[in-house]
Amino acid sequence: MSSLSLYDTLTRTTSSFVPLKKGEVGIYLCGATVQAPPHIGHVRSGVNFDILRRWLTKSGYNVTFIRNVTDIDDKILHKAVHENMPWWAVAMKYERAFTEAYAALNVLPPTYEPRATGHVTQMIELMQVLIEKGAAYAPGNGDVYLEVRKLSSYLTLSRQKLDDLQPAADVDAASSKKKDPRDFALWKAAKPGDPSWPTPWGPGRPGWHLECSAMAHQYLGESFDIHGGGLDLIFPHHENEIAQSEAAGYAFAKRWLHNAWVTASGEKMSKSLGNSLQVHELLKSVRGIELRWYLGSAHYRSMLEFSHEALAESATAFRRIESFLTRSVEILGAQPTPVLSQAFTDAMNDDLAVPTALASISEALRAGNSAITAGDSAVIESSANEIRGALEILGCDPFDPAFASASAGEDLTAALDGTIKLALEQRTAARERKDFAASDQIRDGLAALGITIEDTAQGPRWSISRDGK
RNA sequence: GGUCGGAUGGCCGAGAGGCGAGGCAAGGGACUGCAAAUCCCUCUACACGGGUUCAAAUCCCGUUCCGACCUCCA
């Protein structure tokens, strides 16, 4: 049995994963800033880390998975003006959109999902510690800053030098109270009309970075195993989290994992691409399980170049796997029992090498399909078990109730099945009397309704072939 | 300017010194009344130029192109 190795952005190397506490893993994932509907880049992060979580759980760890919601932020405030809604209504609206997207993709709910606005107390406490230790200062204008010059370890995650950074453009130096232009705001004084919370330094609202340090500390303690997020968070967000937390005396994250982007036309996804790559839009052309399969199929550290063609192709490949499992149930009369193959396990243990793991599924699929032709139920069963075991880890198990069709009830399905079987009996009769015109008419008629007929050794079977949900 | 990635066959996408992942598409074959599904076979690549080595897609040097971050992006 191999053991898990994971990459670490801090060391830029892959190393054996050893938890701080035997049998336990604490993960903090930077979740969404709820200021717009989720696009597939956002949920790729969710899917990638969900696979990590499932794999750790399967490996026997008790995983505490914290994924925050940033529900107060400049963009949310702007959006509130734009949409003529209170800022908290904007945050809630998009938080729900994210929750729905995660659910559609079978991303397991976090152990806890803390909101920034619910942790102002912890943030104030953290700032007090930082000020006491001399790492932060409140210049009297209501802001609180972290003094980055004092931190020798600052910028080690992104491997930059403080003096090489381009000077921040956010402040006109004249009015700034910062000791150094690169000092960053832990807390921002309230401007007229802004939401605010009372603090010892005056009313204000959280800076972007402070929340994560405060919440990670609250739920995972001074030190925890894995901190994750998108590549673009390395600097400044994660760098600043480290600065705040270490200056407060916490050891903080032992390992950093960052997922790469979904790109379109070689570029990182952005709002300029419009709404077409929102999860909500894409789910009109493929099912959630298919979108998840696509997003999870590339290695988490590799860029995934999005195209509608690639997505459609990926969905086709997935249906092929799903179709085998469906047929295995028809033949064996029972759902497969998830089993992990050695090849799959080894691949996953190698820094979650999902693409390699998928190759093992392909092999099992071929063996399983051949076994159907040969009527070898032992091999059908073992192949189906192995495939289901793999799909379960990838969060793409078609038997998972999370993917159960919400629209068609069981009664309806049974009625449809009976109806189609009547037609198929007619067709079989026609074929037996070699009236192929009549049999083809039935098949074409069903095809026009989106129902595909396949003649198998066990007789005809049908499936709904139309795209969509 | 600083930091960090990437370039693999028609397409997607792994690998990271030797035994040429896998998928999709395409062509051929088997099966079929014809299909569909399935299986078998074929096509075999690592941006460019040097170098190291018995051996380089993989290591080193250089070049080109693409991308990301550099204070509120997953």
Side-chain angles (χ1 to χ4, degrees):
Chain A
M1 192 73 180
S2 55
S3 64
L4 178 63
S5 288
L6 288 173
Y7 188 78
D8 181 3
T9 307
L10 195 58
T11 61
R12 309 284 162 97
T13 56
T14 302
S15 58
S16 184
F17 174 73
V18 181
L20 286 167
K21 192 176 166 197
K22 197 171 184 299
E24 308 274 332
V25 181
I27 302 179
Y28 187 93
L29 174 63
C30 284
T33 300
V34 284
Q35 47 95 13
H39 60 59
I40 53 173
H42 295 123
V43 289
R44 180 190 186 183
S45 183
V47 167
N48 284 156
F49 283 96
D50 189 52
I51 291 173
L52 170 66
R53 179 190 185 177
R54 287 171 189 260
W55 185 240
L56 287 167
T57 302
K58 193 72 178 182
S59 302
Y61 293 106
N62 180 27
V63 180
T64 302
F65 191 93
I66 306 296
R67 185 186 66 212
N68 71 291
V69 173
T70 298
D71 59 346
I72 178 73
D73 150 88
D74 285 357
K75 286 183 180 169
I76 293 171
L77 298 180
H78 289 151
K79 200 86 174 198
V81 174
H82 240 255
E83 300 195 2
N84 196 27
M85 290 163 76
W87 64 272
W88 38 265
V90 170
M92 194 72 241
K93 174 181 163 185
Y94 293 118
E95 182 180 327
R96 277 200 201 95
F98 269 84
T99 301
E100 281 167 18
Y102 287 133
L105 297 183
N106 196 22
V107 174
L108 296 170
T111 312
Y112 191 60
E113 191 166 17
R115 296 192 185 104
T117 53
H119 297 77
V120 171
T121 305
Q122 286 83 351
M123 294 188 218
I124 291 171
E125 283 169 2
L126 180 54
M127 285 190 282
Q128 280 168 328
V129 171
L130 289 169
I131 289 172
E132 277 166 29
K133 293 193 180 237
Y137 56 99
N141 62 351
D143 287 351
V144 181
Y145 301 115
L146 197 79
E147 191 169 358
V148 296
R149 282 268 174 212
K150 287 193 173 168
L151 306 168
S152 59
S153 66
Y154 191 53
L155 302 181
T156 48
L157 184 66
S158 59
R159 305 202 169 184
Q160 299 179 97
K161 292 193 183 76
L162 195 58
D163 293 321
D164 291 340
L165 294 183
Q166 286 184 352
D170 63 326
V171 283
D172 42 304
S175 65
S176 177
K177 301 274 191 187
K178 289 181 179 178
K179 292 183 183 175
D180 184 297
R182 282 153 295 215
D183 289 350
F184 61 91
L186 300 170
W187 192 261
K188 297 179 165 189
K191 283 182 248 156
D194 276 2
S196 69
W197 288 259
T199 75
W201 314 282
R205 60 188 176 87
W208 179 37
H209 314 296
L210 187 63
E211 51 178 289
C212 286
S213 290
M215 296 190 290
H217 179 243
Q218 173 76 19
Y219 298 104
L220 296 171
E222 295 192 0
S223 183
F224 55 94
D225 298 293
I226 297 171
H227 192 127
L231 256 187
D232 41 3
L233 297 181
I234 294 176
F235 184 87
H237 186 57
H238 287 163
E239 204 71 80
N240 290 358
E241 278 186 50
I242 294 173
Q244 293 155 359
S245 299
E246 291 190 351
Y250 309 149
F252 210 51
K254 301 307 286 181
R255 182 183 293 269
W256 291 81
L257 259 58
H258 292 95
N259 64 279
W261 297 293
V262 179
T263 57
S265 307
E267 287 179 37
K268 183 184 162 190
M269 202 156 287
S270 69
K271 294 214 189 63
S272 62
L273 292 162
N275 299 328
S276 62
L277 297 179
Q278 288 177 7
V279 174
H280 169 75
E281 283 300 315
L282 290 170
L283 288 178
K284 290 176 180 171
S285 67
V286 295
R287 295 175 297 155
I289 197 171
E290 292 163 351
L291 182 56
R292 179 174 174 125
W293 175 258
Y294 174 67
L295 291 175
S297 61
H299 187 93
Y300 74 92
R301 285 193 282 119
S302 295
M303 284 192 298
L304 179 63
E305 170 65 20
F306 177 84
S307 73
H308 290 281
E309 293 73 24
L311 174 60
E313 186 179 282
S314 170
T316 303
F318 180 74
R319 285 188 210 123
R320 202 168 156 254
I321 298 166
E322 193 178 24
S323 168
F324 165 70
L325 289 181
T326 307
R327 293 188 65 185
S328 79
V329 172
E330 289 169 10
I331 293 166
L332 301 172
Q335 287 188 359
T337 308
V339 167
L340 293 176
S341 72
Q342 193 59 52
F344 183 86
T345 301
D346 289 346
M348 292 303 287
N349 276 337
D350 181 13
D351 193 31
L352 307 178
V354 173
T356 306
L358 296 185
S360 75
I361 295 181
S362 292
E363 282 173 37
L365 180 63
R366 198 176 308 116
N369 276 325
S370 295
I372 287 180
T373 307
D376 183 344
S377 27
V379 173
I380 297 173
E381 188 178 356
S382 63
S383 302
N385 290 350
E386 185 183 317
I387 290 170
R388 190 180 181 195
L391 294 187
E392 191 180 54
I393 298 302
L394 300 175
C396 292
D397 176 7
F399 303 113
D400 189 323
F403 291 119
S405 169
S407 55
E410 282 192 19
D411 292 349
L412 196 56
T413 307
L416 183 62
D417 185 57
T419 309
I420 293 172
K421 281 201 170 130
L422 271 177
L424 290 180
E425 280 167 21
Q426 299 286 313
R427 177 169 170 272
T428 302
R431 291 179 71 208
E432 276 167 2
R433 62 174 189 268
K434 308 266 187 214
D435 183 356
F436 297 121
S439 71
D440 288 352
Q441 195 183 351
I442 292 169
R443 185 172 63 194
D444 293 346
L446 290 172
L449 298 169
I451 292 160
T452 303
I453 302 306
E454 295 163 28
D455 291 321
T456 73
Q458 293 80 31
R461 65 189 291 271
W462 65 274
S463 57
I464 295 179
S465 59
R466 235 179 349 198
D467 284 356
K469 294 183 283 179

